[in-house]
Amino acid sequence: MKILSIQSAVAYGHVGNSAAVFPLQRIGVEVLPVYTVNFSNHTGYGAWRGPLISPDDVRDVILGIEERGVFGEIDVVLSGYQGGEGIGDVILDAVARVKAANPDAVYACDPVMGNAKSGCFVAPAIPILLRERVVPAADIITPNQFELGFLTETDPRDLDSTLASVDAARAMGPSTVLVTSVERPDQPLDTIEMLAVTPEGAWIVQTPRIPMKANGSGDVTAALFTAHYRSTGDAADALAKTVSSVFDLLTLTHESGQRELQLVEAQEFYAHPRAQFPVTRIR
């Protein structure tokens, strides 16, 4: 499998491509990373150095890949945080070109906008761009529950309303929706859930909540789920493997006392995910 991953990169820590590439490689995926920024560290620190890469330069890198005759071999285009509308145009153009070369290729979009605690932290134009142009072009999207509501202009608060929001998102274009950080009033204390919905059905899995903020964990989740699902077509299996790998990564990180994901130290959890959380079919 080959994945063209168009995301940010940092030298210190693990977000964007710096979070997604290694776990994908560790499960045997060939990744072609294209960077949209090259920062010293993620912006959560409040200070960082390094350049935003202009949309023209990102486009030029992608064109160079196309000129190598590789687009027909790419199975997935993966994108995450989009810092501006210009990058969105570049990504959509890349998706169209890859699909022209390989009609079986899919586009997986992590529509990064914010979270329930911090609210929306992207520029005001980005949610509109995602809602009106990017998500309709995607085959797979991986929002958290907050982003799902923002994207569909709904208010998912329990399982029924979250499923209704997923249906609204799927009506926009993508056939597969993975919802992370699912919370509902009737779930056990200190747990969190992940939900996957495809044309074949819907599945949910519950894990203990790990009390930490983990920048980049959503990028790892989107990458692993997309690769597993694209490989097997089995959403329940992809969900089980992804949840297990990410839970063990976060547990290891929490126990280390470090702020940044212990991405390399957790590598065996990607290669050999444990079957530790039951996946329940809900429709």
Side-chain angles (χ1 to χ4, degrees), residues 21-92:
V21 171
F22 178 66
L24 287 173
Q25 291 172 330
R26 192 64 182 82
I27 64 172
V29 175
E30 183 74 34
V31 187
L32 289 70
V34 175
Y35 302 144
T36 56
V37 310
N38 190 12
F39 287 167
S40 55
N41 50 271
H42 68 71
T43 58
Y45 286 95
W48 64 93
R49 295 182 182 273
L52 286 164
I53 300 175
S54 75
D56 286 343
D57 286 339
V58 177
R59 190 187 303 271
D60 209 34
V61 171
I62 295 170
L63 177 60
I65 296 171
E66 184 179 24
E67 289 171 344
R68 303 285 72 76
V70 181
F71 274 13
E73 303 171 11
I74 291 174
D75 300 288
V76 178
V77 179
L78 174 66
S79 71
Y81 170 75
Q82 298 186 22
E85 294 177 79
I87 291 296
D89 291 334
V90 172
I91 292 169
L92 290 172

Side-chain angles (χ1 to χ4, degrees), residues 67-145:
E67 289 171 344
R68 303 285 72 76
V70 181
F71 274 13
E73 303 171 11
I74 291 174
D75 300 288
V76 178
V77 179
L78 174 66
S79 71
Y81 170 75
Q82 298 186 22
E85 294 177 79
I87 291 296
D89 291 334
V90 172
I91 292 169
L92 290 172
D93 181 62
V95 169
R97 289 172 176 271
V98 167
K99 287 192 171 189
N102 178 15
D104 292 329
V106 300
Y107 172 36
C109 170
D110 185 8
V112 178
M113 288 180 278
N115 56 61
K117 290 185 178 178
S118 304
C120 193
F121 51 61
V122 297
I126 297 302
I128 299 170
L129 170 70
L130 290 169
R131 184 184 299 126
E132 295 183 355
R133 298 184 56 213
V134 177
V135 167
D139 301 286
I140 301 169
I141 60 170
T142 59
N144 60 40
Q145 190 179 31

Side-chain angles (χ1 to χ4, degrees), residues 5-16:
S5 183
I6 308 169
Q7 301 195 57
S8 60
V10 294
Y12 174 71
H14 302 287
V15 299

Side-chain angles (χ1 to χ4, degrees), residues 116 145-146 148-149 154-166 179 181-187 193:
Q145 190 179 31
F146 169 84
L148 175 67
T154 59
D155 187 21
R157 291 181 176 270
D158 54 23
L159 187 55
D160 287 342
S161 61
T162 300
L163 285 168
S165 297
V166 169
V179 188
S181 302
V182 174
E183 299 187 57
R184 51 193 175 100
D186 55 339
Q187 69 191 122
E193 294 172 320

Side-chain angles (χ1 to χ4, degrees), residues 13-16 19 42 44-45 110 115 117-118 121 144 180-181 192 209-221 246-256 258-263:
H14 302 287
V15 299
H42 68 71
Y45 286 95
D110 185 8
N115 56 61
K117 290 185 178 178
S118 304
F121 51 61
N144 60 40
T180 63
S181 302
I192 198 159
R209 182 193 299 272
I210 299 171
M212 65 173 294
K213 180 181 179 181
N215 294 91
S217 59
D219 303 318
V220 176
T221 301
V246 173
F247 179 82
D248 283 336
L249 165 64
L250 293 178
T251 299
L252 185 64
T253 301
H254 181 57
E255 291 174 349
S256 75
Q258 300 296 310
R259 176 172 179 173
E260 296 293 342
L261 292 176
Q262 300 300 290
L263 197 77

